[in-house]
Amino acid sequence: MQISFTLNGRPTTVDVEPATLVTELLREQLNLTGTHIGCDTSQCGACVVHLNGLPVKSCTLLAPALDGATLLTIEGLQGAPGSNQMHPMQEAFREHHGLQCGFCTPGMLMTAVALATGKPDLTEAEVRHGLEGNICRCTGYQNIVVSVMAGAAAMNAAKGE
């Protein structure tokens, strides 16, 4: 079947089998490999993308659900339009050492951006609760929590400019 959707700000039309997972579509057909597959059971959060502005785990979402939708992947996350800058959340993860091996990072970033959108003053408890669906096996989470809080503040500051 053919589906049409907006992918990272660009109109996209592709042919997919009805049972194709979004992770398969992104990684195998569209060569967008930033969305990782960690578990295939929606447990780890490495596959989080934004569907119509909301975070979803793409390893259990069928590609036909994208028809007519807007999808944002880690490849589409960026700083100011037209700039070559990182998104404020990416910059916060870099600055506050919110990553180690990087495998969980795309999903963490996508979840963190959704969590921080419209809520610049996140508490540590809110961040920890918001990241419960994302697993990191390296960092112990403290630097991730600090990064998300800093990223949320930076996202708010960027909107005020």
Side-chain angles (χ1 to χ4, degrees):
M1 66 181 296
Q2 189 173 74
I3 59 171
S4 296
F5 59 102
T6 302
L7 175 62
N8 297 331
R10 295 190 171 125
T12 303
T13 299
V14 294
D15 291 320
V16 297
E17 292 296 322
T20 302
L21 294 171
V22 172
T23 50
E24 295 169 331
L25 172 64
L26 292 172
R27 295 180 62 81
E28 297 169 19
Q29 275 186 259
L30 300 174
N31 295 314
L32 295 174
T33 58
T35 301
H36 292 164
I37 302 169
C39 67
D40 279 330
T41 59
S42 197
Q43 299 296 310
C44 75
C47 67
V48 173
V49 295
H50 292 182
L51 178 62
N52 295 328
L54 299 174
V56 296
K57 293 183 178 177
S58 61
C59 72
T60 55
L61 181 66
L62 295 174
L66 300 179
D67 197 37
T70 299
L71 188 71
L72 179 67
T73 69
I74 191 68
E75 289 88 353
L77 198 62
Q78 61 183 358
S83 76
N84 197 22
Q85 297 175 331
M86 289 190 286
H87 186 277
M89 190 64 72
Q90 291 171 309
E91 183 62 36
F93 266 65
R94 185 196 61 76
E95 184 177 329
H96 297 280
H97 310 287
L99 56 100
Q100 283 186 15
C101 83
F103 191 82
C104 71
T105 305
M108 286 283 186
L109 283 165
M110 298 305 288
T111 300
V113 168
L115 183 63
T117 298
K119 190 143 177 67
D121 56 349
L122 289 168
T123 67
E124 181 175 336
E126 289 171 323
V127 172
R128 289 186 182 280
H129 178 73
L131 294 177
E132 283 181 354
N134 294 75
I135 296 173
C136 175
R137 295 185 175 117
C138 300
T139 66
Y141 295 95
Q142 185 56 37
N143 287 350
I144 293 172
V145 172
V146 170
S147 298
V148 173
M149 292 171 70
M155 285 170 60
N156 186 56
K159 281 184 182 178
E161 294 177 358

